[in-house]
């Protein structure tokens, strides 16, 4: 039985990953601050399901609380730490930048320090497809530099990758960063497009469609994300013997450090995504076509060859099936 810390355990991905780990027989300590970025009752409902397992313990704290994090690490012999807690959202980062400094930078530093002092065997942390920023070469590859973020959120995620590399180099802490691509599915975040569209359509309100719908996204179903993370946990990174400082590969290092994309590798037109949702709901959406929002990008697509080579897994859930499952959950949960 592995003892694993999952931060952001009441969040969308953290909940699903924790449930998978518990099913597999691991002992999970879940950390979350249950902030009000979105409906706290949804987070509490996720936690209630996790607490049905005797191998789950919940610890409420903020990542930025240095003393609380220090005590948590000191009192538990974590083998693995999965950091999924962060202030999410590209657009929200433009309106509330300080929240991202506290959670995504100071909070991540506290995680790194806990891993350092307690000699954690593997730190796996969430990055984001947002780090690709102004990059336009598709598919997005972990071997390309990502030095032109378009939002503060993206910049903090890039900073997390750099901070983790520094600790991997200085203290030999094995670190793996995972760049997630537009995650969706049951128990999803209410600020994400699928949730917003579904709620608006069922309430007979227009949906906001940015860039007038001329968008492509590598929508990735939650079960595929969790499977990728689960497999990576056992793949402890080692130094890359062929890494060269005169031609540095961003995806690996002379230190025990790796980066992977987790995406569906099948970009979908936003309008097609909406059409599939309309079919599942049995209703048509009234579309409010709007210009591109600040910090957004027109398209994303993940190169997942490195992930497949490392852990033998490639996300494959089609959007028709993923959206069907989401709608079924939404109708049951909200009784509509």
């Amino acid at each position: 039985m592995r003892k694993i810390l999952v931060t952001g355990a009441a969040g969308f991905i953290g909940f699903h990953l924790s449930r998978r780990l518990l099913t597999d027989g691991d002992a999970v300590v879940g950390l979350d601050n249950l902030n009000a970025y979105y409906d706290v009752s949804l987070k509490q409902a996720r936690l209630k399901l996790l607490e049905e397992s005797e191998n789950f313990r919940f610890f409420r704290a903020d990542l930025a609380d240095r003393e609380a994090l220090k005590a948590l690490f000191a009192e538990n012999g974590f083998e693995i730490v999965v950091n999924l807690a962060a202030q999410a959202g590209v657009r929200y980062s433009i309106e509330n930048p300080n929240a991202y400094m506290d959670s995504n930078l100071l909070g991540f530093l506290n995680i790194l320090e806990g891993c350092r002092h307690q000699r954690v065997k593997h730190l796996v942390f969430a990055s984001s497809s947002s780090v690709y920023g102004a990059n336009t070469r598709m598919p997005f590859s972990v071997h390309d530099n990502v030095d032109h973020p378009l939002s503060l959120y993206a910049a903090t995620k890039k900073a997390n990758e750099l901070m983790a590399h520094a600790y991997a180099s200085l203290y030999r802490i094995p670190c793996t960063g995972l760049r997630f691509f537009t995650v969706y599915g049951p128990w999803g975040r209410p600020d994400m497009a699928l949730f917003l569209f579904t709620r608006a359509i069922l309430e007979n309100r227009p949906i906001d469609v940015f860039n007038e719908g001329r968008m492509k996204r590598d929508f990735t179903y939650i079960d595929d994300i969790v499977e990728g993370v689960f497999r990576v946990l056992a793949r402890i990174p080692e130094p890359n013997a062929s890494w060269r400082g005169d031609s540095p590969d961003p995806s690996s290092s002379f230190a025990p450090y790796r980066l992977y994309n987790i995406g569906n590798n099948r970009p979908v037109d936003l309008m097609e995504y909406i059409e599939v949702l309309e079919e599942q709901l049995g209703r048509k959406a009234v579309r409010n076509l709007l210009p591109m929002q600040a910090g957004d990008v027109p398209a994303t697509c993940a190169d997942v060859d490195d992930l497949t080579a490392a852990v033998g897994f490639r996300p494959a859930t089609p959007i028709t099936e993923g959206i069907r499952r989401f709608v079924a959950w939404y109708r049951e949960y909200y009784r509509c």
Side-chain angles (χ1 to χ4, degrees):
M1 179 183 288
R2 299 176 297 183
K3 193 168 189 178
I4 301 174
L5 171 64
V6 177
T7 72
F12 177 30
I13 300 174
F15 160 70
H16 281 279
L17 177 64
S18 295
R19 194 157 63 166
R20 170 65 187 275
L21 293 171
L22 292 167
T23 299
D24 202 59
D26 292 311
V28 175
V29 175
L31 179 145
D32 207 292
N33 66 357
L34 298 178
N35 69 24
Y37 173 63
Y38 63 79
D39 184 9
V40 175
S41 68
L42 181 60
K43 299 178 183 181
Q44 292 170 332
R46 295 174 184 142
L47 276 179
K48 186 176 180 180
L49 289 177
L50 294 177
E51 289 171 338
E52 292 176 358
S53 171
E54 61 182 14
N55 289 331
F56 180 80
R57 289 194 300 114
F58 179 62
F59 187 79
R60 183 170 183 174
D62 195 295
L63 284 187
D65 186 338
R66 184 184 307 171
E67 294 305 315
L69 267 290
K70 185 184 295 185
L72 177 66
F73 274 88
E75 293 167 6
N76 295 273
F78 298 124
E79 292 180 53
I80 298 170
V81 172
V82 187
N83 185 54
L84 301 173
Q87 180 56 60
V90 169
R91 293 161 193 153
Y92 190 72
S93 70
I94 296 171
E95 303 166 7
N96 298 276
N98 289 333
Y100 293 76
M101 296 298 101
D102 294 341
S103 179
N104 298 12
L105 296 183
L106 178 57
F108 191 60
L109 175 61
N110 290 336
I111 291 292
L112 288 169
E113 279 290 282
C115 291
R116 167 195 172 191
H117 290 293
Q118 300 303 319
R119 306 306 305 170
V120 167
K121 295 179 180 178
H122 192 187
L123 168 62
V124 176
F125 64 95
S127 185
S128 167
S129 63
S130 296
V131 301
Y132 288 102
N135 288 29
T136 56
R137 184 165 64 176
M138 298 286 178
F140 291 151
S141 171
V142 290
H143 301 286
D144 293 337
N145 287 319
V146 288
D147 295 328
H148 299 87
L150 298 179
S151 68
L152 182 63
Y153 169 71
T156 64
K157 286 301 184 178
K158 168 67 173 179
N160 286 172
E161 295 178 359
L162 297 175
M163 293 164 71
H165 183 271
Y167 271 66
S169 173
L170 287 169
Y171 309 113
R172 315 311 288 177
I173 300 169
C175 295
T176 302
L178 302 175
R179 294 173 178 171
F180 299 142
F181 280 69
T182 316
V183 190
Y184 75 101
W187 295 96
R189 277 175 30 208
D191 64 317
M192 297 293 285
L194 183 57
F195 210 111
L196 292 170
F197 290 167
T198 299
R199 175 167 289 171
I201 292 170
L202 290 176
E203 293 177 358
N204 296 311
R205 293 184 289 106
I207 63 173
D208 289 339
V209 182
F210 295 103
N211 201 32
E212 298 182 338
R214 295 189 296 272
M215 311 266 275
K216 284 181 177 286
R217 285 290 180 272
D218 206 346
F219 296 104
T220 311
Y221 187 63
I222 183 61
D223 288 1
D224 288 334
I225 292 288
V226 168
E227 183 63 28
V229 177
F230 183 82
R231 294 192 185 205
V232 163
L233 296 184
R235 182 78 177 188
I236 299 177
E238 297 181 354
N240 180 0
S242 62
W243 192 89
R244 294 170 48 192
D246 60 353
S247 181
D249 177 2
S251 73
S252 65
S253 175
F254 59 88
Y257 176 86
R258 285 293 186 279
L259 292 174
Y260 299 108
N261 288 331
I262 304 187
N264 208 40
N265 193 230
R266 295 173 183 83
V268 174
D269 287 323
L270 181 57
M271 289 302 198
E272 179 185 348
Y273 194 69
I274 293 169
E275 288 167 3
V276 173
L277 177 59
E278 289 173 329
E279 182 178 342
Q280 291 298 322
L281 291 173
R283 298 190 189 187
K284 287 291 184 181
V286 177
R287 305 174 191 192
N288 181 27
L289 301 182
L290 299 170
M292 179 79 85
Q293 284 209 319
D296 217 342
V297 297
T300 63
C301 177
D303 180 339
V304 294
D305 288 349
D306 283 50
L307 178 72
T308 302
V311 300
F313 175 71
R314 179 179 292 266
T317 304
I319 61 163
T320 50
E321 179 60 19
I323 291 177
R324 184 193 67 78
R325 294 178 189 175
F326 171 80
V327 169
W329 167 81
Y330 188 97
R331 287 189 177 280
E332 180 180 2
Y333 184 79
Y334 290 102
R335 300 178 181 176
C336 60

